Amino acid sequence: MYEINALGKACPLPVILTKRAMKEFPNEDLNILVDNEIATQNLKKMADQLSFQTKIEKKGVSYYIVHLTKEAIHFDTVSEPTKEEQPLSIKEDGSKTVPYIVSIHSETIGEGAEELGSILMKSFFFSLSEQEHLPEKIIFYNGGAKLTAQGSPVLHDLQAMATDGVEILTCGICVEYFNFEDKLMVGEATNMYRIVELQSTYKTVSP
């Protein structure tokens, strides 16, 4: 059993340290010590993708042990297909569409009038929700993270797209920074390692 002390380390460091340990000790089960719940969630998602069983123990107010038990070694199996491997969607008329994601880093679109930028963002998400070809995922970070929280002006459109199968992902560090862990209204928290992974894999749209 190999132990990783990630106490005091913000995401995505616990995930990165764990992936390194998986490569260095491929036959070992792992214990990861972390001090926040979002880190445990991110570790579980990664473990699920790599076929590890996960057990999470809460030892204190901000002390968790994440146990990862190897089922099978699939470390070389990436969690998302490469651009070349991504399947094309074929419409009824025979035309092809490429899977894409949307990346949002602000509550508003553009610079200048903040009120206008907010109106444009509302219009963007309404227009996006009406597209025949929806994104695979929508990623939110920095100020954009607030759009997935309670009171968001675009929450209705986000929830509608989530119902249609669009994965909504919000930066976990941002959720903690803006202190709305209990007000995240759609989708789930993720980490910057995963965000970079997705942005480098999919065609990315950012308004």
Side-chain angles (χ1 to χ4, degrees):
M1 180 73 70
Y2 183 78
E3 184 173 281
I4 301 166
N5 186 348
L7 295 170
K9 300 186 184 298
C11 280
L13 271 176
V15 170
I16 292 173
L17 292 173
T18 302
K19 282 198 169 185
R20 287 177 182 172
M22 287 176 173
K23 285 183 176 180
E24 190 173 354
F25 307 101
N27 298 316
E28 292 282 343
D29 294 337
L30 304 173
N31 277 347
I32 305 98
L33 314 182
V34 294
D35 57 10
N36 65 88
E37 188 175 359
I38 288 178
T40 68
Q41 295 170 2
N42 288 330
L43 287 166
K44 184 180 186 310
K45 291 170 196 169
M46 180 196 67
D48 289 345
Q49 293 165 2
L50 301 177
S51 298
F52 276 71
Q53 292 182 337
T54 308
K55 179 182 177 183
I56 299 172
E57 288 188 70
K58 185 173 183 179
K59 294 294 189 178
V61 176
S62 57
Y63 179 35
Y64 301 82
I65 301 179
V66 181
H67 305 274
L68 300 186
T69 304
K70 178 172 50 63
E71 291 182 344
I73 300 175
H74 296 303
F75 189 79
D76 292 332
T77 303
V78 295
S79 56
E80 296 293 333
T82 64
K83 289 181 180 178
E84 292 76 18
E85 294 171 332
Q86 284 184 27
L88 296 176
S89 300
I90 302 177
K91 298 181 180 179
E92 292 182 0
D93 61 5
S95 61
K96 298 178 180 179
T97 58
V98 179
Y100 69 100
I101 63 174
V102 174
S103 184
I104 304 292
H105 59 80
S106 174
E107 291 182 89
T108 61
I109 291 180
E111 298 179 2
E114 186 172 340
E115 183 179 358
L116 174 60
S118 180
I119 292 171
L120 291 175
M121 187 63 82
K122 292 179 189 176
S123 178
F124 173 82
F125 276 107
F126 175 73
S127 300
L128 184 65
S129 69
E130 293 295 316
Q131 296 297 306
E132 181 180 348
H133 179 40
L134 293 173
E136 299 290 311
K137 309 171 193 296
I138 307 176
I139 300 168
F140 296 85
Y141 54 95
N142 208 328
K146 297 178 183 178
L147 294 175
T148 59
Q150 188 176 37
S152 164
V154 300
L155 200 55
H156 175 76
D157 292 325
L158 291 179
Q159 290 172 332
M161 286 188 283
T163 299
D164 287 335
V166 178
E167 188 175 8
I168 310 296
L169 300 170
T170 303
C171 163
I173 294 177
C174 306
V175 170
E176 291 181 340
Y177 182 86
F178 293 119
N179 193 28
F180 61 80
E181 291 95 331
D182 58 344
K183 296 179 182 178
L184 189 64
M185 302 302 293
V186 60
E188 57 188 21
T190 188
N191 60 80
M192 191 55 67
Y193 187 95
R194 179 66 171 150
I195 290 173
V196 172
E197 186 179 53
L198 292 172
Q199 289 177 332
S200 64
T201 301
Y202 282 89
K203 173 184 175 182
T204 302
V205 174
S206 185

